[in-house]
Amino acid sequence: MAKKNFISNSTESVRMFKSDFLESLSKVHYFVPIIIFVPVILVCSYFAYDRNIGIGNYLWLFIAGLFIWTLTEYVMHRFVFHFVPKANWALRLHFIFHGVHHDYPSDAKRLVMPPSASIPLATGFYFLFNALLPANYIFGFFPGFILGYLVYDISHYAIHHFNFKGSFWKKIKQHHMLHHYQDPTKGYGVSSPLWDKVFNSDFIKKQNG
């Protein structure tokens, strides 16, 4: 099991930048991603209709985008956000991107990705997928991918701040809380434990009896 580090349950975390402007870019209300990316989903869907890719193509591309997001979420969380470098400047960057969330998991303003990171990442993924997919297929695929991101971001906020009644969301929350409070080297899936099961990074369930 990984070594347990400092964890604060404060609803606010440490200041990360001397600059007020940079500090403001590191914090975001959970509703901001919805305001930014729902229009992206709608515009891409309109272009899918306008370019006449067909409802059948749109639906399977949309589902494929959702599915690829779940893998992207897992890979980025495990291999990017949890990659711990050795250089001091890189450690500082790691703390800004993800370390602060593990130290202060209840900070409501650092639970969804700020636009300063999400917009460049979304732009990069758009051009990547557009280069890989046949002409105009991006307009079916990308809305599904972005919806997957929104589900991840909003569910991440909810996991940390809502008390769920349903068994499904209780299990999702338990999975992520174990990642924070038991072993951060397991349980990288936030919106779904699927890829943790596939890549053997899930938590071992205790056997009764």
Side-chain angles (χ1 to χ4, degrees):
M1 183 180 293
K3 180 180 70 174
K4 290 186 178 180
N5 296 318
F6 165 83
I7 298 177
S8 169
N9 287 319
S10 169
T11 55
E12 294 182 2
S13 57
V14 294
R15 185 181 179 96
M16 294 198 297
F17 301 99
K18 291 181 180 179
S19 163
D20 290 339
F21 175 69
L22 291 177
E23 182 69 10
S24 69
L25 292 180
S26 74
K27 296 183 176 183
V28 62
H29 190 276
Y30 76 90
F31 205 72
V32 169
I34 296 174
I35 296 171
I36 294 173
F37 288 105
V38 165
V40 173
I41 294 172
L42 295 176
V43 169
C44 284
S45 298
Y46 170 76
F47 279 130
Y49 168 78
D50 187 60
R51 306 292 171 86
N52 197 30
I53 70 171
I55 187 66
N57 280 335
Y58 178 85
L59 288 175
W60 78 257
L61 284 164
F62 192 95
I63 293 169
L66 272 171
F67 179 75
I68 293 300
W69 165 258
T70 64
L71 179 59
T72 303
E73 172 193 318
Y74 177 87
V75 169
M76 288 189 66
H77 191 187
R78 180 172 183 174
F79 298 107
V80 179
F81 294 159
H82 275 271
F83 173 74
V84 181
K86 293 182 179 179
N88 287 335
W89 67 267
L91 280 170
R92 167 72 173 159
L93 201 60
H94 170 263
F95 179 77
I96 290 169
F97 268 98
H98 197 62
V100 67
H101 172 56
H102 272 266
D103 286 359
Y104 298 88
S106 297
D107 184 347
K109 294 293 181 67
R110 286 186 171 131
L111 284 174
V112 298
M113 195 175 292
S116 55
S118 63
I119 292 175
L121 280 171
T123 303
F125 278 120
Y126 174 88
F127 286 111
L128 172 65
F129 296 138
N130 193 38
L132 296 174
L133 292 167
N136 296 322
Y137 274 28
I138 187 68
F139 299 123
F141 181 91
F142 201 59
F145 185 82
I146 291 298
L147 179 62
Y149 158 69
L150 284 179
V151 170
Y152 152 77
D153 236 4
I154 303 307
S155 64
H156 186 223
Y157 178 88
I159 284 167
H160 280 276
H161 283 279
F162 295 173
N163 289 318
F164 297 109
K165 303 298 183 184
S167 60
F168 173 80
W169 283 107
K170 279 184 177 180
K171 288 179 181 177
I172 294 290
K173 178 167 184 167
Q174 181 188 41
H175 184 78
H176 191 58
M177 291 299 102
L178 287 172
H179 172 73
H180 273 282
Y181 294 100
Q182 179 174 302
D183 189 352
T185 68
K186 294 185 181 296
Y188 297 103
V190 176
S191 57
S192 167
L194 169 65
W195 296 107
D196 284 306
K197 298 181 187 301
V198 172
F199 294 116
N200 199 32
S201 56
D202 202 0
F203 298 98
I204 299 172
K205 292 181 173 59
K206 292 181 179 180
Q207 301 295 323
N208 296 323

